[in-house]
Amino acid sequence: MFARASAVVFLPQCGQVRSMATLKDITIRLKAVKNIQKITKSMKMVAAAKYARAEKALKPARVYGTGALSLYEKADIKAPEDKNKHLLIGVSSDRGLCGAIHSSVAKAIKSEIAKLAGAGKEVMVVNIGDKLRGLLYRTHGNHILINCKEVGRKPPTFTDASIIATELLDSGYEFDQGTIIYNRFKSVISYKTDEKPVYSMDTVANSENMGVYDDIDADVLRNYQEFALVNIIYYGLKESATSEQSARMTAMDSASKNASEMIDKLTLTFNRTRQAVITKELIEIISGAAAL
C-alpha cells in the first residue's frame, strides 16, 4: 500500500502596509496641489471675464425670448390633451467643471420623459451640448432625436440657434407640443432650471383664440413659427451660457479655497515630519557619542 504524503502549502498573503509618508512624498504632493491651485485660479479669472461678457449680452437676448412668447401668452395657446407627440429641447454645452449645470437639465428631462411616457405620449429629445448627450444616452438613448455638439466653446450667436432650429425642422419629426429646458440666470451665485413652451404650426393654427388676428395667413404664421423657434432657442442658449460661466467661476473659487486648505495641512505635516527626522538624527548622534 502506498500512502500519499500530504504537504502543507503556505500561500503568500499580500496586504497593504500603511506607513508614515516621507518628506519626498509630502513634497511631491505639495507641489502637485500648488500646481492645481494655479490652474483653478487661472480658470476662475478666465470664467470671470467670460461671465462679464455673457451677462452684458444676456440683457438684449432676453428681448428675443419674451417677444417670441408674447403671442402664445396673449392668444392663450394650449395644445390639445389628445395629442401624443411631445418634444423636449435640453440646453447645455460641451464643457464641464461648472457644478451641477448639466446634471440639473438632465434630471429635469428625465423627469419629464417619465411623466409623459407614463401618460402614454411619445417623447423625443434634442440635446444641445455633448455633456447632456453623455448623461442621457445610456438610460434614454431611444428618445434622442438630434445631438448638437461644439456648443459652449464660443459665445452662442443667433446663427447657432438658426442652425439648430433648421436641423430640427428638417428632421421630419412632427411634434404637437414641445418644451425647452435650460438654466435661467438669476445672480452670480444662483441659477434655476426653467422651461418654456414650444408649439407646432398645426397647434397654433388650430387654436381657438387665433381667430382674433385677421391678417395672419398660413405663410405669415409659418414664418413667425420658425422665427419664434429660433428666438426661443437663442434665448435658452444665452441664459445657459451665462449660468454656466457664473457656476464655473464659483466652482473654481471653491476649488482654489480647498487647495489652499490642503496646502496649509500639507505644509504643517511636512514641517512636523522634518522636525521628527531631525530629532531622530540628533538622538542617534548623541547616543553614538555616549556609547564611545
Side-chain angles (χ1 to χ4, degrees):
M1 297 291 293
F2 293 92
R4 179 177 296 178
S6 60
V8 180
V9 180
F10 295 95
L11 298 176
Q13 297 181 355
C14 300
Q16 185 178 7
V17 179
R18 297 181 62 89
S19 59
M20 189 174 184
T22 61
L23 288 175
K24 184 178 181 180
D25 296 335
I26 299 175
T27 304
I28 293 174
R29 189 177 180 187
L30 187 61
K31 184 177 179 181
V33 174
K34 287 182 178 179
N35 291 335
I36 293 174
Q37 187 186 40
K38 292 179 182 178
I39 295 173
T40 54
K41 285 185 177 180
S42 301
M43 291 186 66
K44 177 189 173 182
M45 294 175 63
V46 173
K50 290 184 177 180
Y51 161 74
R53 292 195 297 266
E55 186 185 17
K56 185 177 180 180
L58 177 61
K59 295 179 181 179
R62 281 177 171 168
V63 180
Y64 288 87
T66 56
L69 296 171
S70 60
L71 177 63
Y72 300 152
E73 296 174 356
K74 292 181 180 179
D76 194 18
I77 298 175
K78 295 181 180 179
E81 296 182 357
D82 56 345
K83 300 295 183 179
N84 294 325
K85 292 187 176 181
H86 200 101
L87 179 71
L88 297 177
I89 304 175
V91 183
S92 67
S93 70
D94 294 352
R95 304 187 63 188
L97 298 177
C98 50
I101 282 286
H102 309 306
S103 59
S104 60
V105 176
K107 184 178 180 180
I109 290 177
K110 290 179 181 179
S111 177
E112 285 291 324
I113 291 175
K115 182 175 68 174
L116 294 171
K121 295 185 178 182
E122 178 184 346
V123 187
M124 298 303 290
V125 180
V126 176
N127 293 326
I128 303 178
D130 196 54
K131 289 293 182 180
L132 186 60
R133 182 202 64 82
L135 292 171
L136 295 177
Y137 183 76
R138 179 175 297 179
T139 57
H140 299 79
N142 57 330
H143 294 282
I144 296 177
L145 178 65
I146 299 173
N147 289 316
C148 302
K149 298 181 180 181
E150 300 298 328
V151 180
R153 301 182 184 277
K154 294 182 180 180
T157 61
F158 194 81
T159 304
D160 298 334
S162 301
I163 295 173
I164 297 171
T166 303
E167 288 291 330
L168 175 59
L169 295 174
D170 293 342
S171 65
Y173 182 73
E174 297 180 358
F175 62 94
D176 301 312
Q177 184 182 3
T179 305
I180 179 170
I181 301 176
Y182 63 98
N183 290 309
R184 180 169 59 86
F185 174 76
K186 296 178 67 176
S187 65
V188 183
I189 58 175
S190 66
Y191 60 89
K192 180 182 179 182
T193 303
D194 202 357
E195 57 184 43
K196 295 294 182 183
V198 178
Y199 299 101
S200 65
M201 174 68 183
D202 295 336
T203 302
V204 177
N206 296 329
S207 178
E208 297 178 357
N209 297 328
M210 287 300 295
V212 298
Y213 299 98
D214 298 333
D215 297 335
I216 296 182
D217 55 7
D219 293 336
V220 174
L221 189 59
R222 184 179 67 255
N223 293 333
Y224 178 81
Q225 279 296 104
E226 294 176 357
F227 185 66
L229 179 61
V230 177
N231 286 338
I232 295 173
I233 293 176
Y234 177 65
Y235 167 70
L237 288 173
K238 282 295 187 180
E239 288 279 359
S240 295
T242 309
S243 302
E244 179 185 346
Q245 297 301 334
S246 64
R248 181 173 291 111
M249 184 173 60
T250 304
M252 291 301 102
D253 181 58
S254 300
S256 299
K257 291 180 180 179
N258 293 336
S260 297
E261 295 178 0
M262 190 175 294
I263 288 172
D264 294 339
K265 292 181 180 179
L266 288 174
T267 303
L268 181 61
T269 304
F270 177 82
N271 292 334
R272 288 178 175 175
T273 306
R274 185 178 62 178
Q275 187 66 36
V277 170
I278 294 173
T279 304
K280 181 180 178 181
E281 292 177 354
L282 289 175
I283 292 174
E284 290 177 354
I285 295 172
I286 294 172
S287 300
L292 292 178

